[in-house]
């Protein structure tokens, strides 16, 4: 058992594990705790930490760093007080207010078993707890609403109630606390006597001064010690509630008269459950309310004989009769000398009580909140409509049948997942109703377990996240015969709570980034503990409550939620983010009004015989983005009028074209999208393919080759848009296997058609797919067609492939009947069209807000781009962090196609957090310089769904990269700085994607087959360093640094071997080749590199002895090297044979 030293400062003697336990107790996120543990932060180091160290060395955000320093200082202060207390044992705690304001701490026992765990102590171990303590932060909380029937309320263990109080205005109850820790363990007779004595003493005091009151059992009072705080909720175990209820039977023996009055004023005991996040033991605070209504107590003075169990007589005896009253926060007997005066003042007290009751009942009701506006503001973050790009996580429990008729607002919500605590939901609950309109995947908490060797991208694809709602049955399912049977509350806490914690952590930290999603707690039935724990996990992993809202119709259900949520959040924050008392039908109508699209709008597909059919199962073909005949028609007019300018400006600034851009143009809400020559050329090839030809193949391919950033994607999507009424059109999503895409394409072709022989062709757009992918997709589709015995000559599928190329015109010449080119160069007709469009746009927008269109209208001339960037960077602060970020993004965008940096990484680099303001734009979008706002595009990556930024165009990125370099700076030094950015390397969200892009910068070679300008021997960036900077040594230094930063990645070692032998540094090449082969001894590519080292070495040795006499010695040396090369190539061949099914398409 780990012991923390007793003498001050005890924290200085803590081990790393004990520091970790303390950090968990103050709710620091686990990955920060692991980092501090790895850095060997023990107690002594903890005392010396400052915020700067935590932010720069541990890469911690400002909030947690500040919290650690604040709690550390409070820890030192509390330990000093603990030592002073030991010297004055028995003294009362008069410093409660000071302790409460400092979030007082409690000493608890630490159990050490390799990783620290926290457990609470029983009262019998209080003395031990003073010597062995770990500090837990405590929060203020509110008492249960006074004298309200049916209140659904709970307390959180270690929360602190306001201190014991005396009479204030007779209506506001005075409070008294009793820990009752020892008494709760007594037998029935002794426990009832003790319980009744405390209640009747308190009740008599309250009734005699005519004040309401509540006595709390299970709350620490001033007499208790052991590191507890006055008013701290600990709870008591209650095995039989009737013991406490029957204890009031002592009333008849304790009062000589008016026992009926006492029964009327003393309410029955109420049992308020105490939640303990570290234990599954059930504990309660037992509370008794005293309500001395004037109609009952008028003109009376009550004397009581308190029950007391006499051990000597082994029975309950009753003390001498006495008159009691409340004096301040205590109950005291009225002395004989004051008795006459006490009786004389009865009328005055009655008058005060009567007046207090009258005033209380005459209080005007509270003004009704505008719940509709509050709900709207919470759901839209202060905007007019719910954001189309925002994801929602729904946490809910059992729905009432009537409420299920009012969930239309959920149908069109962008729901990522549902945490459902109703095990019958699939049969008769919300899930069943939702499945009538939409598709969802049934999951359990266990589904979110990441197995060894699986990354987040693979998990996302496997579970079809983002494309179908993930419905998580948190309590199990009654309709499921597997091992996910429903369980009771306590079983769930013991077995499922850890799974919930991991699921929430995975979603909040690795799948969705902060600020891109909102959590809605929709409470439609009584709240149970597991749902409360779910709130706590979201609160912890989201680092606050800003993106959590609660919707609850029932005040009673909300009270239990509120009492729990107030512990970490505070009462005001909980109330501000909750909508309580609004009927589900009203919620339904209100939220439909602020959704961008209409509910239950049907989507139509064209059919072979003319006309259309309704598409009902679009989500089942999840690998395709299906374009319907009436696409975007469901968009609300109010949304269009509000957002049309933003949508148009985003496109002309450089954003990807959306279907809404075409819809706005088609419906005259915006100007037409220019049809480039390539659009007409593609349309002609498509029309030719659609003409009947007996020799027609079932799958036709049309290729659009385009310069990066020249508008190739716009041309391709324009073709789909304008053919959506005559063909079935879809865009292939990039994350799914070819077999799935082919299956869904066949389903789309035959959807609602009677005869597979008579179906409309399907036009499928694939973007940035290599030739191997297209061939494989074609093969799969042809196989499906042959299986269905479709008549030869029937055109079934047209694959429209949109791919980047550095020489599109050459590709077009190679196959003019199949290929179309899109270049930066405009034809004369296009120049006239673009000039007119530019003039019209500049009348409405400043040129800098339609930047990409302006650049395109200039044909992306090098001179214009150079002048534009020069003007842009004229007044830029070259030493700011934002400028550094621009430079990093420019470097990546120049050398790595489709590269980006996640918005979350940018915020980490700029040390930003998204908090404080409920109604805000994202913090990052407001913070960059004017230059950054102009050149950065905010995007959502198609493959990863990560919110990210990139520069508006690759040519602009290249020019920025050059012009931002200082006189002494090179691209290689910039890349070295990027490798040293610990914040970017260690930032958790989107880490795999960031490292993949950075890895490509250093080791991905150019391939003409991939659309690159040439085939390279090294990555274009490394070749730039070697050739343009003429610094092979710098390239070697960069790759060595990358090798270490990427945890000794063998492929970096392989590149180092190749680079060394290129410059005839054979000993170093041998070292790096062996380093790579040691890690991957059966990899044919690495073994080939090792063979190449010896081969080049052999050639160099042969060249060295060309002009000198051949000797046995110098010839043998060369031959030995040649034999080693042969041996390596033989190993390579064996490895290649073993892995024949794998093809190296990585470019390394």
């Amino acid at each position: 058992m780990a012991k923390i030293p007793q003498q001050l400062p005890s924290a200085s003697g803590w081990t790393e594990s004990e520091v970790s336990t303390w950090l968990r107790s103050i709710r620091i996120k686990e990955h920060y705790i692991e980092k501090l543990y790895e850095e060997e932060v023990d107690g002594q180091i903890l005392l010396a930490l400052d915020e700067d160290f935590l932010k720069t060395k541990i890469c911690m955000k400002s909030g947690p760093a500040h919290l650690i320093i604040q709690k550390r200082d409070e820890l030192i202060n509390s330990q000093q007080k603990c030592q002073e207390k030991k010297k004055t044992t028995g003294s009362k705690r008069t410093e409660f207010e000071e302790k409460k304001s400092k979030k007082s701490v409690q000493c608890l026992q630490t159990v050490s078993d390799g990783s620290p765990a926290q457990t609470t102590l029983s009262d019998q171990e209080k003395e031990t707890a003073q010597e062995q303590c770990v500090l837990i932060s405590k929060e203020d909380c509110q008492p249960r609403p006074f004298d309200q029937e049916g209140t659904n309320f709970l307390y959180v263990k270690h929360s602190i109630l306001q201190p014991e109080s005396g009479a204030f205005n007779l209506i506001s109850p005075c409070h008294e606390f009793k820990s009752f820790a020892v008494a709760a363990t007594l037998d029935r007779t002794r426990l009832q006597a003790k319980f009744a004595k405390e209640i009747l003493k308190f009740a008599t005091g309250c009734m005699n001064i005519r004040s309401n009151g509540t006595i709390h059992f299970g709350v620490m009072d001033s007499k208790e010690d052991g590191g507890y705080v006055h008013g701290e909720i600990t709870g008591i175990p209650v095995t039989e509630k009737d013991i406490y209820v029957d204890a009031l039977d002592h009333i008849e023996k304790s009062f000589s008269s008016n026992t009926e009055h006492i029964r009327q004023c003393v309410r029955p005991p109420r049992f308020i459950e105490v939640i303990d996040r570290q234990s599954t033991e059930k504990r309660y605070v037992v509370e008794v309310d005293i309500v001395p209504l004037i109609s009952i107590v008028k003109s009376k003075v009550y004397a009581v004989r308190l029950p007391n169990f006499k051990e000597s007589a082994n029975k309950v005896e009753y003390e001498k009769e006495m008159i009691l009253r409340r004096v301040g926060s205590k109950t005291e007997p009225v002395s004989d000398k004051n008795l006459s005066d006490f009786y004389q003042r009865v009328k005055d007290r009655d008058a005060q009580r009567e007046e207090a009751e009258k005033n209380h009942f005459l209080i005007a009701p509270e003004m009704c909140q505008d719940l509709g506006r509050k709900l709207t503001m919470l759901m839209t973050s202060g905007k007019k409509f719910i954001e189309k790009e925002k994801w929602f996580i729904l946490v809910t429990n059992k729905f009432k049948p009537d409420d299920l008729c009012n969930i239309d607002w959920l149908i069109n919500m962008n729901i990522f997942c549902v945490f459902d605590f109703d095990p019958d939901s699939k049969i008769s609950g919300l899930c069943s109703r939702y499945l009538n309109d939409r598709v969802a995947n049934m999951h359990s908490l266990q589904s979110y377990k990441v197995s060894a060797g699986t990354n987040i991208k693979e998990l996302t694809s496997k579970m079809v996240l983002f494309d179908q709602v993930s419905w998580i049955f948190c309590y199990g399912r009654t309709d499921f015969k597997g091992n996910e049977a429903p369980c009771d509350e306590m079983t769930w806490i013991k077995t499922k709570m850890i799974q919930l914690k991991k699921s929430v952590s995975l979603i909040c930290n690795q799948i969705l980034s902060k600020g891109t999603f909102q959590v809605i707690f929709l409470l439609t039935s009584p709240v149970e503990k597991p749902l409360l724990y779910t709130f706590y996990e979201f609160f912890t992993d989201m680092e606050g409550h800003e993106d959590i809202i609660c919707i609850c119709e029932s005040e009673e259900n909300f009270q239990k939620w509120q009492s729990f949520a107030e512990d970490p959040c505070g009462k005001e924050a909980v109330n501000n983010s909750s909508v309580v008392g609004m009927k589900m039908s009203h919620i339904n109508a209100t939220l439909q009004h602020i959704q961008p699209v209409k509910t239950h709008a049907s989507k139509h597909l064209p059919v072979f015989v003319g006309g259309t059919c309704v598409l009902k199962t679009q989500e089942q073909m999840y690998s395709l983005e299906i374009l319907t005949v009436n696409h975007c028609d469901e968009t609300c007019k109010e949304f269009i009028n509000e957002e049309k300018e933003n949508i148009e400006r985003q496109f002309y600034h450089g954003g990807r074209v959306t279907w809404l851009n075409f819809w706005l143009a088609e419906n005259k809400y915006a100007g037409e999208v220019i049809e480039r020559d390539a659009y007409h050329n593609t349309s002609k090839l498509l029309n030719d393919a659609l003409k009947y030809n007996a020799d027609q193949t079932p799958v036709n391919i049309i290729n659009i080759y385009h310069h990066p950033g020249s508008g190739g994607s716009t041309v391709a999507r324009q073709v789909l848009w304008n053919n959506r009424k005559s063909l079935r059109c879809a865009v292939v999503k990039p994350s799914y296997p070819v077999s799935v895409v082919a299956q869904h394409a066949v389903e789309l072709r035959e959807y609602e058609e009677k005869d597979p022989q008579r179906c409309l062709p399907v036009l499928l757009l694939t973007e940035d797919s290599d030739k191997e992918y297209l061939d494989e997709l074609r093969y799969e589709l042809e196989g499906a067609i042959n299986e269905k015995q479709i008549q030869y000559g029937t055109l079934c599928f047209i694959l429209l492939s949109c791919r980047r190329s550095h020489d599109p015109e050459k590709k077009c010449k190679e196959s003019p009947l199949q290929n179309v080119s899109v270049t930066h160069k405009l034809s004369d007709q296009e120049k006239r069209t673009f000039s007119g469009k530019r003039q019209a746009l500049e009348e409405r927008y400043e040129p800098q807000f339609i930047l990409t269109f302006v650049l395109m209208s200039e044909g992306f001339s090098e001179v214009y781009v150079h002048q534009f960037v020069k003007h842009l960077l004229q007044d830029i602060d070259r030493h700011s962090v934002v400028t550094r970020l621009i430079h990093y993004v420019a470097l990546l965008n120049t050398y790595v196609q489709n590269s980006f940096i996640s918005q979350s990484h940018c915020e980490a680099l700029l040390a930003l957090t998204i908090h404080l303001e409920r109604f805000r734009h994202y913090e990052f979008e407001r913070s960059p310089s004017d230059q950054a706002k102009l050149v950065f595009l905010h995007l959502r990556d198609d493959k990863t769904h990560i919110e990210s930024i990139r520069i508006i165009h690759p040519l602009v990125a290249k020019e920025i990269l050059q012009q931002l370099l200082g006189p002494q700076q090179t691209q290689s030094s910039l890349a070295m700085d990027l490798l040293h950015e610990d914040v970017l390397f260690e930032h958790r969200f989107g880490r795999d994607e960031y490292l993949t892009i950075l890895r490509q910068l250093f080791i991905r070679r150019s391939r003409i087959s991939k659309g690159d300008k040439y085939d390279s021997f090294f990555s274009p960036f490394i070749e730039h360093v070697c050739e343009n900077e003429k610094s092979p040594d710098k390239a070697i230094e960069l790759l060595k640094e990358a090798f270490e930063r990427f945890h000794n990645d063998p492929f970096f070692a392989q590149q180092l071997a190749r680079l060394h032998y290129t410059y005839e540094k054979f000993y170093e090449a041998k070292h790096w080749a062996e380093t790579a082969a040691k890690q991957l001894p059966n990899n044919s590519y690495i073994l080939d590199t090792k063979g190449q080292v010896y081969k080049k070495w052999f050639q160099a040795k042969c060249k060295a002895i060309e002009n000198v006499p051949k000797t046995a010695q110098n010839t043998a040396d060369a031959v030995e090297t040649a034999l080693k090369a042969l041996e390596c190539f033989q190993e390579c061949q064996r490895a290649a044979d073993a892995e024949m099914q794998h093809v190296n398409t990585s470019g390394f």
Side-chain angles (χ1 to χ4, degrees), residues 875-1057:
D875 300 317
I876 198 169
D877 179 2
R878 292 178 179 268
H879 302 291
S880 73
V881 182
V882 175
T883 303
R884 195 162 87 238
L885 175 63
I886 293 174
H887 218 168
Y888 289 154
V889 177
L891 176 68
L892 294 175
N893 288 174
T894 299
Y895 288 105
V896 182
Q897 184 67 25
N898 298 326
S899 58
F900 59 83
I901 293 185
S902 78
Q903 187 167 302
S904 183
H905 274 82
C906 296
E907 287 161 2
L909 183 66
L910 302 178
L912 295 175
T913 53
I914 305 175
H915 59 191
L916 297 179
E917 300 176 49
R918 154 56 59 185
F919 308 122
R920 84 283 182 195
H921 296 293
Y922 293 153
E923 194 74 28
F924 173 73
E925 294 181 6
R926 296 194 318 206
S927 300
S929 62
D930 291 338
Q931 293 88 351
K933 289 175 182 175
L934 283 178
V935 299
F936 279 161
L937 273 180
H938 295 258
L939 303 167
R940 175 179 284 177
D941 185 67
D942 285 342
K943 294 183 181 179
T944 62
H945 300 273
I946 291 174
E947 299 284 339
S948 59
I949 63 161
R950 66 165 171 82
I951 288 174
I952 57 172
H953 197 277
L955 296 179
V956 176
K958 185 177 180 180
E959 191 62 36
I960 288 173
L961 177 62
Q962 293 301 323
Q963 292 194 30
L964 269 183
L965 289 173
Q968 304 300 320
Q969 198 177 17
T970 59
Q971 291 185 21
S972 57
S973 63
L974 178 65
M976 187 64 79
D977 291 342
L978 183 56
L979 283 173
H980 290 157
E981 288 288 0
D982 292 342
V983 173
L984 297 179
F985 254 91
E986 296 169 9
H987 187 64
R988 194 171 178 184
F989 179 79
R991 187 169 183 267
D992 290 345
E993 288 73 23
Y994 173 74
L995 295 182
T996 297
I997 290 169
L998 196 58
R999 199 167 180 265
Q1000 289 179 339
L1001 176 69
F1002 291 105
I1003 64 178
R1004 185 194 176 277
R1005 291 182 268 172
S1006 293
R1007 287 284 181 268
I1008 294 175
S1009 61
K1010 301 280 187 182
D1012 297 316
K1013 191 179 292 185
Y1014 61 95
D1015 289 332
S1016 67
F1017 196 61
F1018 296 101
S1019 77
F1021 172 69
I1022 292 297
E1023 289 196 343
H1024 167 86
V1025 176
C1026 293
E1027 296 168 13
N1028 296 55
E1029 295 184 13
K1030 302 189 185 308
S1031 183
D1033 289 341
K1034 191 67 177 177
I1036 289 170
E1037 187 182 339
L1038 276 168
L1039 286 173
K1040 283 182 178 178
E1041 181 65 25
F1043 173 73
E1044 293 183 7
R1045 295 260 30 189
F1046 281 82
H1047 308 292
N1048 299 345
D1049 187 320
F1051 290 104
F1052 280 97
Q1054 180 194 24
Q1055 297 304 307
L1056 279 162

Side-chain angles (χ1 to χ4, degrees), residues 319-338:
E319 297 176 359
K320 180 182 175 182
E321 191 172 67
M322 67 180 87
I323 296 172
L324 300 168
R325 64 177 174 179
R326 291 288 292 175
V327 180
S329 61
K330 303 172 186 175
T331 303
E332 296 181 349
V334 180
S335 62
D336 291 340
K337 68 176 183 177
N338 293 328

Side-chain angles (χ1 to χ4, degrees), residues 174-211:
C174 50
H175 294 271
E176 187 164 306
F177 305 146
K178 299 294 175 184
S179 77
F180 218 60
V182 176
T185 64
L186 299 175
D187 62 55
R188 187 184 187 97
T189 304
R190 290 176 172 82
L191 188 156
Q192 286 184 329
K194 176 67 174 171
F195 186 67
K197 178 181 179 180
E198 298 295 350
I199 290 174
L200 298 180
K201 178 182 177 182
F202 177 75
T204 305
C206 289
M207 292 166 67
N208 279 333
I209 66 164
R210 311 306 193 238
S211 174

Side-chain angles (χ1 to χ4, degrees), residues 257-500:
S257 61
N258 297 316
T259 56
E260 188 177 327
H261 293 176
I262 310 300
R263 288 279 188 184
Q264 288 175 310
C265 295
V266 179
R267 302 293 196 239
R270 293 208 169 104
F271 301 87
I272 316 302
E273 189 172 353
V274 176
I275 294 283
D276 182 2
R277 288 187 283 266
Q278 272 74 44
S279 172
T280 57
E281 180 190 12
K282 270 208 171 187
R283 284 178 166 256
Y284 297 87
V285 170
V286 183
E287 297 180 343
V288 177
D289 292 333
I290 313 299
V291 190
L293 293 173
I294 190 63
S295 59
I296 299 171
V297 301
K298 189 171 184 176
S299 303
K300 298 186 178 58
V301 173
Y302 298 94
V304 63
R305 298 174 62 217
L306 296 175
N308 195 10
F309 190 90
K310 288 288 184 182
E311 293 294 339
S312 56
N314 197 31
K315 65 177 183 179
V316 176
E317 296 182 356
Y318 294 86
E319 297 176 359
K320 180 182 175 182
E321 191 172 67
M322 67 180 87
I323 296 172
L324 300 168
R325 64 177 174 179
R326 291 288 292 175
V327 180
S329 61
K330 303 172 186 175
T331 303
E332 296 181 349
V334 180
S335 62
D336 291 340
K337 68 176 183 177
N338 293 328
L339 199 57
S340 175
D341 179 65
F342 187 78
Y343 272 101
Q344 289 177 7
R345 294 176 62 85
V346 167
K347 288 185 178 180
D348 293 339
R349 289 193 291 275
D350 286 346
Q352 290 172 1
R353 177 72 193 192
E354 193 166 7
E355 183 69 18
E357 287 184 11
K358 184 194 300 182
N359 291 338
H360 177 63
F361 293 126
L362 288 176
I363 292 175
E366 291 185 14
M367 290 291 291
C368 180
Q369 282 188 330
D370 187 345
L371 294 181
R373 173 176 169 76
K374 186 178 185 182
L375 178 63
T376 299
M377 293 296 102
L378 289 172
M379 292 293 290
T380 63
S381 297
K383 299 184 177 72
K384 289 190 176 181
F385 294 93
I386 295 173
E387 296 174 62
K388 291 185 77 173
E389 297 296 313
K390 177 162 277 191
W391 292 102
F392 289 89
I393 295 174
L394 185 67
V395 185
T396 189
N397 50 6
K398 198 170 192 69
F399 263 66
K400 294 181 289 187
D402 291 346
D403 287 342
L404 289 174
C405 301
N406 294 294
I407 67 156
D408 294 334
W409 63 280
L410 283 173
I411 303 302
N412 279 336
M413 290 286 283
N414 208 18
I415 297 176
F416 178 78
C417 67
V418 178
F419 285 82
D420 197 334
F421 285 87
D422 175 14
D424 298 318
S425 185
K426 179 74 161 49
I427 301 172
S428 57
L430 178 63
C431 181
S432 172
R433 172 66 182 83
Y434 186 85
L435 292 175
N436 290 339
D437 296 282
R438 299 291 296 273
V439 173
N441 279 325
M442 306 299 110
H443 291 139
S444 67
L445 293 170
Q446 188 71 17
S447 303
Y448 280 82
K449 182 180 180 181
V450 182
S451 56
T454 303
N455 59 34
I456 298 301
K457 186 178 175 182
E458 291 168 342
L459 179 76
T460 300
S461 178
K462 176 185 173 184
M463 296 177 66
V464 201
L465 301 179
F466 297 104
D467 291 317
Q468 292 182 350
V469 175
S470 172
W471 209 283
I472 307 167
F473 287 85
C474 301
Y475 258 166
R477 285 168 59 187
T478 51
D479 66 314
F480 189 63
K481 296 181 180 179
N483 58 355
E484 286 295 329
C487 60
D488 59 42
E489 186 177 281
M490 294 312 295
T491 303
W492 186 93
I493 292 171
K494 292 174 183 176
T495 60
K496 299 286 180 65
M497 193 159 73
I498 186 66
Q499 295 177 12
L500 173 86

Side-chain angles (χ1 to χ4, degrees), residues 831-846:
K831 285 178 182 177
R832 288 191 292 272
T833 307
F834 269 76
S835 177
K837 182 72 175 180
R838 177 177 173 180
Q839 189 175 352
L841 287 173
E842 285 181 345
E843 290 176 1
R844 298 165 56 206
Y845 307 111
E846 292 294 325

